[in-house]
Each structure stands twice: as C-alpha cells, then as structure tokens.
Amino acid sequence: MLRTIGSVSLFLFNVGLAFSQPAAAPPAFEVASVKVNIAGTNAGMGRGREIVTPSPAGITMINVRLKTVIQWAYHVQPVQVSGPGWLDVDRYDVVAKAAGATPEDQLRQMMQTLLADRFKLAFHRESKEMQAYIITVAKTGLKIKESTTEGDMAIQPSPPAGATFQRATVSKLAELLSEPLQSPVIDETGLTGRYDFKLDVSNFLDPTTPMGINDVIPIVIQAAQQQLGVKIDQKKIPVEMLMVDHAEKIPVEN
C-alpha cells in the first residue's frame, strides 16, 4: 500500500514538474531584416516581380506582398489567404538567416515566428467549400522528363507567353497554376520527382482579341494537357482558408 501511494506521489510530482517547465521557444531566425519596399508599394497592385529565394542558410524575399510571405510561411496557395486588401498591395524586403543549414519546413516555421513578431500577424482557420482543380496524369501519358541536373528549382520566362521550368515538382507546378486558375490546384498525380519542361500558351492566344480570366483558364488547361501530359479537372471540395484578423502594415524595426 505504501509503495502504491509512493508511486502515485512520484507520478503526480513528475506531472507537476512537466507543467511547470517553460514552453519551448518557437523556432526563429538568428538574424532577420524586414523593410518596407517603398518603390514596390508605390507601384501599386500587380506591379513588380516578386523574388523568393530560400536556401539552407535562410531566405531572401524582395518586393514581396505580405500575402506572399504568409503563403510561403504556411505552405498554402494564394487563394487560401484572405484578409484586408493591402495584403496584396504593400511590398516588403525580407532577408533572414538561420544559425546553420536548415531544412525548408523548419525555415517555414521560422517565418511564421517572424510574421508574429514583426507584423503581429493573427489569423484563424476556416474550411470553405469551393471550386478547385485536380491534376492527374492524362490518359495519353506524361510528356515531361525527370531532371538529370542538381540544384534548386529554376523558372525562366519564355516570351511572349511561356515559361521554362528546371528541376520542378508537379506539386510546385500546382501551386503556381493556382494564381492564373484563381482556385486551389491539388496535385493527385502521385509523382514525386523533379522535372524539366516548358509550358507555353502563345499558340493559343489571338493578339487581336481581348481576353479575360474566363478565356485564359481553358487555355492553360488545354496547354498543360497537350504539352505536359497532365489532366486538370474542376471539382468542388472543402479547402482550408487562413483568415487574417490582424497584421501591421509597418513591421517592427530590425
């Protein structure tokens, strides 16, 4: 009986000790610079190229919208971030360094900490049913080849209306397509490799005819099937949304 009481007392003591320990600090960059990009902000919505360059040592973001930073930190597509209109307008430069070589998923967690510390970001999650696009391998078969080179993914514009991809995953392609398709794009191909390919919609365009987004969407879908060998179907599914409740336009000083 005494042994049982002693065991229970020891258990309760350990539980109390565990609850008294301070919570582990969230992962954070060793050093980070966050600045408003005046030139990009003054240029207005949709102006200026955004540059996002992650590496094992950290991440550099130039002329990025806060929405883009949130999207990268939480690994979601643009349509999954909802908040005040200025998230899509104001531009920032972020240069953040880790203490050592760090995997990308941990860099994303560090960026979440930076958003909370510097921008006082607060949000909640909601599930919303919406139209999405599902990528599968077309019946005609995959037309892209696995990359034989080493290095990070690279994307080069190919005027007038194309892009060349090197060492890109299909999941990354899905993420990039979510903006022109204006809906979440889900990769269900099961492909895990990295590929080299070119996606070009130039031959589908008529320069003499004005085009809206509803004209562009079927063109992107058709070009992807013909050139890449992937099928894109529309389907209504529940999608997790990040609803921004608060964020500061002017970040906390470095």
Side-chain angles (χ1 to χ4, degrees):
M1 184 68 170
L2 289 174
R3 179 179 297 175
T4 301
I5 294 173
S7 297
V8 171
S9 299
L10 181 60
F11 170 75
L12 292 174
F13 173 77
N14 288 334
V15 169
L17 186 63
F19 276 99
S20 69
Q21 296 296 319
F29 293 107
E30 185 175 50
V31 62
S33 169
V34 183
K35 297 179 180 178
V36 176
N37 184 311
I38 306 269
T41 297
N42 290 342
M45 185 180 293
R47 303 289 181 84
R49 182 185 172 198
E50 294 182 286
I51 301 172
V52 178
T53 312
S55 73
I59 183 167
T60 298
M61 297 180 165
I62 303 298
N63 193 40
V64 292
R65 298 164 294 174
L66 186 55
K67 184 175 182 178
T68 300
V69 184
I70 297 170
Q71 174 199 337
W72 190 89
Y74 288 92
H75 210 179
V76 295
Q77 297 180 3
V79 72
Q80 291 176 267
V81 180
S82 179
W86 65 266
L87 296 179
D88 260 320
V89 179
D90 290 27
R91 301 295 183 114
Y92 302 90
D93 295 336
V94 180
V95 179
K97 302 295 183 183
T102 306
E104 188 168 295
D105 60 344
Q106 192 171 342
L107 290 176
R108 292 181 191 273
Q109 293 175 24
M110 292 176 172
M111 187 60 71
Q112 294 172 22
T113 303
L114 183 145
L115 284 167
D117 290 345
R118 301 294 186 89
F119 290 92
K120 307 305 177 186
L121 176 69
F123 67 89
H124 68 278
R125 298 177 189 266
E126 289 183 9
S127 181
K128 182 178 179 183
E129 193 168 84
M130 63 173 61
Q131 292 291 344
Y133 291 92
I134 310 299
I135 299 183
T136 56
V137 177
K139 290 182 179 179
T140 52
L142 197 65
K143 297 182 180 180
I144 56 179
K145 302 296 183 183
E146 284 207 49
S147 180
T148 58
T149 60
E150 298 293 329
D152 296 328
M153 183 188 74
I155 304 174
Q156 292 294 331
S158 181
T164 300
F165 296 76
Q166 291 181 300
R167 301 174 293 277
T169 62
V170 178
S171 61
K172 183 63 179 179
L173 173 66
E175 182 181 320
L176 294 171
L177 287 177
S178 69
E179 197 138 12
L181 296 180
Q182 294 195 335
S183 293
V185 181
I186 313 300
D187 171 27
E188 291 189 356
T189 62
L191 300 170
T192 57
R194 299 195 302 166
Y195 300 87
D196 297 337
F197 57 90
K198 181 178 181 180
L199 182 61
D200 194 332
V201 300
S202 304
N203 292 337
F204 298 89
L205 303 178
D206 181 355
T208 64
T209 305
M211 301 185 73
I213 187 62
N214 291 331
D215 303 306
V216 172
I217 288 175
I219 286 175
V220 171
I221 292 173
Q222 186 178 358
Q225 181 158 341
Q226 287 186 8
Q227 298 170 15
L228 310 183
V230 297
K231 187 180 180 185
I232 303 177
D233 294 307
Q234 197 172 37
K235 182 179 179 181
K236 204 165 190 180
I237 61 172
V239 175
E240 185 179 67
M241 302 286 294
L242 267 61
M243 314 298 290
V244 175
D245 300 311
H246 176 80
E248 298 287 340
K249 281 191 176 186
I250 307 299
V252 173
E253 293 184 3
N254 302 320

